[in-house]
Amino acid sequence: MASSSIVFAGPPLAQYALRRADDALLLGHRLSEWCGQAPMLEEELALANIALDLIGQARLLYAYAAEIEAAGHDEDQLAYLRDAQHYGNLLLVEQPNGDFAATMLRQLLYSAYAWPYWQAMERSADATLAAIAAKAAKECAYHHRHAALWVVRLGDGTAESHRRAQQALDDLWMFTGEMFTADALEAPLITAGIAADPALLRPLWQASLDETFAEATLIAPADGWMQQGGRAGRHGEHLGHLLSEMQYLQRAHPGVVW
Amino acid sequence: MSITASLTRAWRIAADIADPELPMLSIADLGILRDVRWEDGTVSVLITPTYSGCPAMSAIADDITAAFAAAGIAPVHVRRVLAPAWSSDWITPAGRRKLAAAGIAPPTPGSAPIACPRCASMETAMLSPFGTTACRALWRCRACGEPFDRFKCH
């Protein structure tokens, strides 16, 4: 039956693209959950626009992964027919929206990483990834600016907004460590100049966060225990719930189109 | 007709197609029509997205197919290209004039002051960095009091 789960079996380059597609899709989906519930109209537009950019990045990356895999899968099947343990996203992006502070801190932590990541990927030896990166870098820079403005406003706002922003930062910090690691699948791609070296991104990420946190009067937690496993398909319980909602239509009505 | 003459005609057909979200601009004005060429015995029209998630891409592809069919040219192959990446610098001078005439402030780099497209006052302020479409932000004129869209410099 067409609604059965599929397993992606592409080579490392395709897996690499698929993982980045998963990052963008899940964060985009999380942001879309704010639709109709944002604190004000302008923010409603902002969150939906950011979600649209991210889902657009995901589509380009899924399409590329499917093209390399050459197993007849398309971007929709990769998004809607894979089970949680076959998703290779960062744990950070699957975290629930929480309150507005948690959403904005998650957005800041991700976009402060994604912006320099995609900038570095513009120099990828893989022409398609470099082309996708050229668009994504500019989009993520814009998302970062927006998230940073909100984090400053919340952190340096009222006692309550400061408390919530600091709480969100404390809660999310343990999901940031895996952004800067590379597993056995990705290491050769880094050596080949196809993938950006995440270790080189860390200082850029840290410097931009330091600047935002100083203005926001927020304290970055000490690096303690870091959760890992997202890239290997070891996820928290939240991802299953997210997928059950996101994939429902395709699973219940296989192949349905708008 | 020679291939060159056919392609010139084909370019004119493609260049005439309006952008679905900015119908005062053609896809040539917007700089997303990249090329019209002869490939494997068919006309290929190359377009590029403004933003990764631009939802108008499919509608534009459909419009191109329909316009060529109406002109008696079929099949036509619409191909999306990503490189070189579109930026607001690809908007033509004519496109910039049409944006301003429609009340949308054309893109200007960095922190350059933005003129109100209605009264030309420079006393303008951003209301929201995100607007009605992926390519626009929402601004307001302090002089005439009108809100307006600004095309993002991207």
Side-chain angles (χ1 to χ4, degrees), chain A:
Chain A
M1 217 175 117
S3 65
S4 331
S5 299
I6 59 165
V7 174
F8 184 81
L13 173 61
Q15 299 276 358
Y16 183 84
L18 188 77
R19 291 170 171 188
R20 273 70 199 173
D22 290 345
D23 287 345
L25 177 69
L26 294 186
L27 188 56
H29 182 82
R30 278 292 187 219
L31 293 177
S32 77
E33 292 172 358
W34 275 101
C35 242
Q37 303 186 59
M40 56 192 191
L41 180 61
E42 288 80 359
E43 204 47 36
E44 186 82 28
L45 292 172
L47 293 169
N49 266 289
I50 296 172
L52 188 64
D53 285 345
L54 290 168
I55 293 168
Q57 293 167 15
R59 290 186 62 182
L60 296 173
L61 290 160
Y62 281 133
Y64 186 44
E67 182 192 321
I68 303 169
E69 186 198 22
H73 295 137
D74 63 21
E75 57 186 81
D76 282 348
Q77 291 173 320
L78 294 182
Y80 295 128
L81 299 181
R82 280 180 306 133
D83 292 329
Q85 71 270 26
H86 296 123
Y87 262 77
N89 59 281
L90 296 166
L91 297 170
L92 177 69
V93 300
E94 71 192 50
Q95 298 311 307
N97 285 340
D99 59 18
F100 188 67
T103 291
M104 278 303 142
L105 260 302
R106 186 186 61 200
Q107 200 61 34
L108 180 75
L109 295 172
Y110 177 77
S111 55
Y113 153 81
W115 176 18
Y117 168 73
W118 287 118
Q119 275 187 319
M121 288 299 289
E122 289 184 56
R123 298 185 299 275
S124 170
D126 183 274
T128 304
L129 288 179
I132 294 170
K135 304 209 73 63
K138 286 197 281 189
E139 289 158 4
C140 289
Y142 207 78
H143 303 168
H144 173 265
R145 202 178 318 157
H146 186 68
L149 281 171
W150 268 114
V151 167
V152 168
R153 189 182 295 186
L154 295 168
D156 193 23
T158 65
E160 178 66 4
S161 71
H162 176 84
R163 185 186 67 75
R164 288 183 183 227
Q166 185 64 54
Q167 186 66 52
L169 178 55
D170 294 347
D171 292 345
L172 291 169
W173 195 252
M174 66 176 164
F175 300 111
T176 60
E178 67 172 354
M179 295 196 286
F180 305 105
T181 59
D183 63 8
L185 181 136
E186 302 196 353
L189 296 172
I190 295 169
T191 310
I194 290 168
D197 185 348
L200 300 178
L201 300 174
R202 180 152 206 154
L204 301 171
W205 178 78
Q206 191 70 58
S208 98
L209 288 185
D210 286 349
E211 197 179 313
T212 307
F213 292 156
E215 207 182 331
T217 70
L218 295 173
I219 310 288
D223 283 341
W225 166 252
M226 288 288 177
Q227 295 285 355
Q228 299 207 14
R231 296 287 188 223
R234 294 192 305 276
H235 297 280
E237 65 173 301
H238 301 301
L239 181 60
H241 293 284
L242 184 157
L243 293 183
S244 70
E245 184 176 327
M246 189 180 83
Q247 298 184 336
Y248 168 78
L249 201 70
Q250 281 301 324
R251 300 282 190 160
H253 305 279
V256 71
V257 290
W258 292 109

Side-chain angles (χ1 to χ4, degrees), chain B residues 16-85:
Chain B
D16 228 25
I17 293 165
D19 179 82
E21 290 188 337
L22 296 160
M24 70 296 284
L25 261 65
S26 73
I27 58 174
D29 292 331
L30 193 52
I32 60 176
L33 175 63
R34 283 292 164 80
D35 200 8
V36 176
R37 56 172 82 145
W38 191 253
E39 281 178 337
D40 307 322
T42 31
V43 174
S44 273
V45 180
L46 276 55
I47 54 174
T48 193
T50 51
Y51 284 73
S52 298
C54 179
M57 275 278 107
S58 311
I60 293 168
D62 290 348
D63 289 348
I64 292 171
T65 308
F68 277 82
I73 303 173
V76 60
H77 182 53
V78 182
R79 202 145 64 75
R80 294 178 202 194
V81 290
L82 289 176

